[in-house]
């Protein structure tokens, strides 16, 4: 089963994924109409900045066992086994924030949502774009990510590739494989800027 | 293998499921004193307030016992444990129930108070689904209520009754509500919010006597003054329900003492949830953390150990999240340690936006946190406390709500 894999070293912090995510979870599914909706659609992926100003797309890991699922008082959080997705039922959610207390990644937010009863704030988090996947589409954040920081692939093959990259980087004369020259340069610039500000 | 679980609450249920997960054959008996299906106790205050219908309380369907092959014995309290014979004693059951592995997940009962006139009608404890049903029956005739206790239960009772349009007076011993969960600043913020919504709070007082004709009509307070009320809710905390535990055989302090495998001083006998006393991760000392998520985790771990898979827990951690009126409060770990503990305290209080964040640091280790009206990433801080992760960024950077998960990884 394909999963969204995050490669933080490739994130440039453009936040396109946030926009795409919010649009994919709106009523009208189009950016130009979504911005006029009530409640205003909000992203479920959150791009923040690391210590050196590098981007980091923070999204639900769909943990197993999921701490939020164990902590949910009314039993609104469940797992779709077919896609290994942890989802929140907005009708059952009582907005108690127990899941926010349990989530070690801080990815659950509380607000009104197109899928929730009108006027009701509920716990909202990534649902792996289940609705899009049913139509044969990839998750919205992956579709718009142009830097390759978000990919949709088999976890086993992603892991295998990573293992090979690490293995190659430790072999004597390989010297590691750069992701792409651009990223290394960008991250180096950000790092030195921060260092200069500190001085 | 014969498993017996005392307790039909969240710890008992999770233990039963963990056992069944690993052992499909063993004989599993579950004893509970309530007859209602296994339900979510923290949600009873939402039923009182009218936000949730009582049908939403159960956390497992009615065929739960049948589906998992559990023999339920409901509506009865255990009278004793015979440690040598390995038998649980029940009133009216001559031979008792034999066990190879026993779990004490009996939970807690409300702490009783001593006052005259406690026999009067409309004086309630707030602990079980039945208490709430009785309160809801009384509410149509109630205009003013008296709530004793400034803890989570007293506080939720006061909130629920206010939402029902009842005039509420709350008596608390400390200077602000939730003194076990929050510090003075957060406590006063909560108090102000409740007072603004019409709650009458009196501090440093308790009730000495109740009077009335059949049902309660008023109370005399510890300072000699009188107050009229049609209803009283007692929320002075809870005590582990351990009347049946032989204290000369099983080590008991406030709760049943357990090790990292949730096993008591007697091999084969385990304890979990509100009845168990474990190590608190932040305080580094024995502690009863009577909270829902701990009970779930401990029950699950106990069940796995009982079924033969050794699972160790590191300790328990106090934490709470409360949402009332327009206010969100989340706390975790040791929020208000004494000055002698020598911890570094960082806080940021924005009076205009009514937000407050507080961190308690032991060197590079986070040991406590409190957040008011700004709780979205609180779980991250709780996980830092729980896993004792040394901080790589300054505490001040962690105080600002804009910090990102990535910053903790570098």
């Amino acid at each position: 089963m394909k999963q969204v894999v995050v490669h933080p070293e490739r994130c440039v912090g453009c936040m396109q994924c946030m926009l795409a995510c919010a649009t994919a979870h709106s009523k009208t599914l189009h950016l130009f109409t979504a911005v006029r909706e009530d409640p205003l659609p909000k992203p479920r992926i959150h791009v923040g900045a690391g210590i050196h100003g590098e981007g980091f797309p923070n999204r639900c890991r769909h943990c197993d066992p999921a701490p939020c699922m164990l902590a949910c008082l009314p039993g609104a959080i469940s797992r779709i086994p077919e896609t290994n997705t942890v989802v929140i039922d907005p009708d059952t959610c009582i907005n108690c924030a127990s899941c926010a207390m349990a989530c070690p990644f801080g990815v659950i937010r509380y607000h009104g949502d197109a899928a929730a009863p009108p006027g009701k704030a509920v716990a909202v988090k990534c649902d792996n774009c289940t609705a899009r996947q049913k139509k044969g589409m990839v998750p919205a954040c992956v579709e718009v990510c142009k830097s390759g920081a978000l990919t949709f692939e088999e976890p086993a093959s992603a892991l295998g590739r990573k293992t090979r990259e690490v293995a190659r980087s430790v072999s004597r004369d390989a010297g590691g494989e750069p992701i792409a020259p651009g990223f290394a340069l960008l991250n180096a610039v950000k790092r030195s800027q921060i260092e200069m500000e500190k001085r | 293998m014969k498993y017996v679980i005392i307790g039909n609450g969240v710890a008992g249920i999770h233990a039963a499921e963990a056992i069944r997960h690993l052992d499909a054959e063993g004989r599993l008996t579950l004893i509970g004193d309530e007859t209602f299906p296994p339900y979510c106790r923290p949600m009873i205050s939402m039923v009182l307030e009218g936000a949730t219908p009582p049908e939403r309380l159960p956390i497992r369907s009615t065929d739960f016992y049948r589906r998992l092959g559990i023999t339920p014995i409901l509506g009865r309290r255990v009278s004793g444990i015979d440690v040598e014979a390995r038998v649980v004693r029940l009133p009216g059951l001559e031979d008792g129930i034999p066990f190879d592995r026993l779990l004490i997940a009996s939970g807690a009962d409300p702490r009783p108070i001593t006052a005259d006139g406690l026999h009067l009608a409309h004086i309630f404890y707030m602990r079980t689904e039945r208490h709430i049903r009785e309160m809801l029956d009384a509410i149509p005739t109630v205009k003013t209520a008296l709530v004793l206790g400034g803890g989570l239960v007293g506080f939720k009772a006061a909130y629920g009754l206010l939402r029902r349009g009842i005039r509420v007076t709350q008596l608390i011993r400390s200077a602000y509500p939730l003194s076990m969960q929050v510090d003075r600043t957060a406590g006063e913020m909560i108090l102000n919010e409740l007072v603004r919504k019409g709650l009458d709070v009196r501090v440093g007082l308790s009730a000495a006597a109740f009077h009335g004709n059949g049902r309660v009509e008023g109370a005399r307070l510890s300072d000699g003054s009188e107050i009229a009320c049609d209803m009283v809710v007692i929320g002075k905390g809870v005590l582990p329900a351990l009347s049946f535990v032989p204290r000369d055989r099983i080590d008991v302090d406030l709760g049943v003492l357990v090790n990292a495998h949730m096993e008591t001083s007697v091999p084969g006998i385990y304890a979990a949830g509100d009845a168990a006393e474990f190590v608190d991760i932040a305080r580094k000392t024995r502690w009863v953390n009577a909270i829902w998520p701990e009970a779930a985790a401990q029950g699950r771990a106990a069940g796995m150990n009982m079924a033969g898979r050794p699972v160790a827990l590191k300790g328990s951690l106090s934490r709470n999240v409360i949402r009332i009126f327009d206010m969100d409060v989340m706390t975790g770990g040791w929020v208000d340690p004494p000055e002698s503990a020598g911890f570094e305290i960082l806080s940021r209080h924005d009076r205009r936006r009514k937000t407050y964040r507080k961190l308690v640091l032991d060197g590079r280790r986070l040991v406590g946190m409190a957040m008011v009206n700004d709780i979205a990433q609180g779980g991250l801080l709780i996980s830092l406390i729980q896993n004792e992760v040394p901080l790589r960024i300054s505490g001040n950077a962690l105080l600002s709500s804009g910090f990102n998960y990535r910053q903790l990884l570098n």
Side-chain angles (χ1 to χ4, degrees):
Chain A
M1 177 47 59
K2 284 186 174 178
Q3 301 291 330
V4 177
V5 182
V6 179
H7 312 270
E9 70 281 6
R10 292 182 187 165
C11 178
V12 293
C14 70
M15 300 190 186
Q16 286 293 319
C17 53
M18 292 174 70
L19 208 59
C21 178
T23 309
H25 294 97
S26 66
K27 285 192 198 102
T28 54
L29 304 181
H30 289 282
L31 178 61
F32 292 105
T33 43
V35 290
R36 303 181 60 129
E37 282 179 24
D38 181 36
L40 189 68
K42 290 188 176 157
R44 298 160 181 219
I45 183 167
H46 311 278
V47 177
I51 289 178
H52 298 293
E54 71 278 29
F56 182 72
N58 197 17
R59 69 192 286 286
C60 176
R61 274 77 166 169
H62 304 276
C63 317
D64 191 8
C68 59
M69 203 155 109
L70 287 177
C72 181
L73 298 183
I77 306 184
S78 60
R79 185 183 298 275
I80 307 173
E82 292 79 40
T83 54
N84 198 29
T85 299
V86 175
V87 287
I88 304 177
D89 173 11
D91 291 318
T92 313
C93 175
I94 54 171
N95 195 26
C96 66
S98 293
C99 50
M101 187 169 80
C103 177
F105 303 107
V107 292
I108 304 178
R109 305 285 158 103
Y110 299 85
H111 47 73
D113 187 72
K120 184 187 175 190
V122 292
V124 180
K125 67 164 199 67
C126 165
D127 61 353
N128 272 338
C129 278
T130 304
R132 284 172 60 97
Q133 284 200 52
K134 271 190 195 145
K135 293 187 220 159
M137 298 156 84
V138 302
C141 56
V142 175
E143 190 179 81
V144 295
C145 184
K146 297 292 181 284
S147 67
L150 297 163
T151 55
F152 191 56
E153 53 188 325
E154 293 290 340
S157 74
L159 202 64
R161 183 162 35 75
K162 200 83 197 167
T163 309
R164 282 195 299 280
E165 278 172 20
V166 171
R168 235 178 273 144
S169 70
V170 296
S171 72
R172 206 170 319 141
D173 21 61
E177 190 178 4
I179 324 150
F183 289 111
L185 182 64
L186 185 72
N187 288 338
V189 169
K190 282 179 185 166
R191 211 167 277 259
S192 54
Q193 266 176 350
I194 298 283
E195 293 303 321
M196 276 160 70
E197 277 166 25
K198 272 193 199 154
R199 258 176 238 149
Chain B
M1 191 66 87
K2 294 189 287 287
Y3 304 96
V4 175
I5 296 173
I6 303 173
N8 194 22
V10 55
I13 295 302
H14 274 90
E17 286 175 339
I19 291 171
R20 266 298 168 258
H21 194 64
L22 299 172
D23 180 355
E25 303 297 318
R27 219 166 80 200
L28 182 48
T29 309
L30 194 146
I31 308 164
D33 64 339
E34 290 180 69
T35 50
F36 196 73
Y39 65 98
C40 179
R41 207 185 286 291
M43 276 172 71
I44 59 171
S45 62
M46 293 167 178
V47 175
L48 177 69
E49 151 199 355
T52 301
E55 311 85 79
R56 289 277 287 276
L57 285 179
I59 51 170
R60 294 294 182 272
S61 61
T62 42
D63 71 341
F64 167 75
Y65 303 111
R66 193 186 48 77
R67 205 162 33 80
L68 263 74
I70 298 170
T71 313
I73 301 178
L74 301 179
R76 284 156 75 175
R77 277 209 166 202
V78 171
S79 56
I81 301 170
D82 190 332
V83 174
E84 274 77 36
R86 294 189 101 68
V87 164
V88 173
R89 302 258 172 238
L90 269 175
L93 202 74
E94 206 52 38
D95 301 331
I97 303 159
F99 64 84
D100 298 315
R101 301 269 188 280
L102 172 68
L103 176 65
I104 302 170
S106 46
D109 288 326
R111 188 190 290 270
I113 63 162
T114 46
D116 293 333
L118 279 172
H119 63 281
L120 292 167
H122 287 193
I123 297 181
F124 303 98
Y125 289 102
M126 192 167 112
R127 176 73 183 164
T128 63
E129 156 284 324
R130 198 168 138 217
H131 291 151
I132 295 295
R133 249 188 298 140
E134 291 167 358
M135 285 165 83
L136 289 178
D137 286 345
I139 275 176
T141 62
V142 170
K143 290 203 168 57
T144 59
L146 184 65
V147 173
L148 311 182
L152 217 52
V153 170
F155 184 63
K156 285 187 166 181
Y159 172 71
L161 294 172
L162 274 179
R163 296 277 297 219
R164 291 270 180 184
I166 293 167
R167 260 204 350 261
V168 183
T169 302
Q170 189 174 13
L171 305 182
I172 58 181
R173 209 180 44 207
S174 41
Y176 53 88
L178 298 175
S179 58
M180 292 293 282
Q181 277 82 27
V182 301
D183 65 349
R184 179 175 281 270
T185 311
E188 283 170 357
M189 290 172 82
I190 296 165
L191 183 58
N192 290 343
E193 175 74 13
L194 282 174
V195 168
R196 212 164 56 82
K197 298 284 188 199
L199 180 73
D200 172 23
V201 180
R202 307 198 185 166
V203 295
L205 281 175
S206 58
F210 302 101
H211 54 79
N213 189 7
R215 55 178 267 190
V216 70
E217 286 164 14
R220 195 180 73 241
L221 307 186
S222 51
D223 64 347
S225 64
E226 292 279 336
I227 186 166
C229 58
D230 317 314
M231 177 177 177
V232 174
V233 182
I234 304 165
K236 302 289 275 183
V238 294
L239 288 172
L242 301 172
S243 57
F244 58 91
V245 176
R247 285 167 191 253
D248 52 333
R249 295 306 320 274
I250 300 175
D251 288 348
V252 177
D253 179 31
L254 179 60
V256 181
L257 301 183
V258 292
N259 64 16
H261 297 280
M262 309 316 294
E263 198 165 20
T264 68
S265 56
V266 179
I269 300 185
Y270 297 76
D274 292 8
E277 184 168 322
F278 196 17
V279 179
D280 184 279
I281 293 173
R283 293 178 176 86
K284 297 280 178 218
T285 175
R286 286 196 328 224
W287 206 266
V288 177
N289 275 318
I291 52 171
W292 172 271
E294 272 311 333
Q298 292 179 11
R300 197 161 172 270
M304 289 192 174
N305 283 298
M306 288 165 75
R309 181 180 291 182
V311 172
L313 289 183
K314 189 171 171 180
S316 66
L317 185 70
S318 54
R319 51 197 186 273
N320 264 298
V321 57
I322 312 141
R323 302 190 127 184
I324 32 114
F325 291 118
D326 307 321
M327 198 161 221
D328 300 339
V329 182
M330 193 188 289
T331 63
W334 206 353
V335 179
D336 206 9
E339 271 185 36
S340 58
F343 295 146
E344 184 190 356
I345 311 263
L346 298 170
S347 67
R348 190 171 292 179
H349 186 185
D350 186 335
R351 278 167 215 280
R352 195 178 50 81
R353 288 177 54 227
K354 287 192 185 170
T355 61
Y356 176 62
R357 284 168 86 95
K358 173 183 182 174
L359 300 177
V360 182
L361 290 159
D362 177 10
R364 303 302 300 155
R365 195 170 66 99
L366 189 64
V367 292
M369 72 93 172
M371 301 163 115
V372 179
N373 288 335
D374 189 5
I375 63 168
Q377 293 201 75
L380 222 164
L381 298 181
I382 287 175
S383 121
L384 289 177
I385 302 173
Q386 205 162 24
N387 297 305
E388 302 181 276
V389 181
L391 294 184
R392 285 147 191 256
I393 58 174
S394 76
N396 277 315
L398 208 57
L399 259 190
S400 79
S401 55
F403 82 92
N404 182 261
Y405 185 78
R406 177 70 192 263
Q407 297 174 347
L408 304 168
L409 297 177
N410 282 32

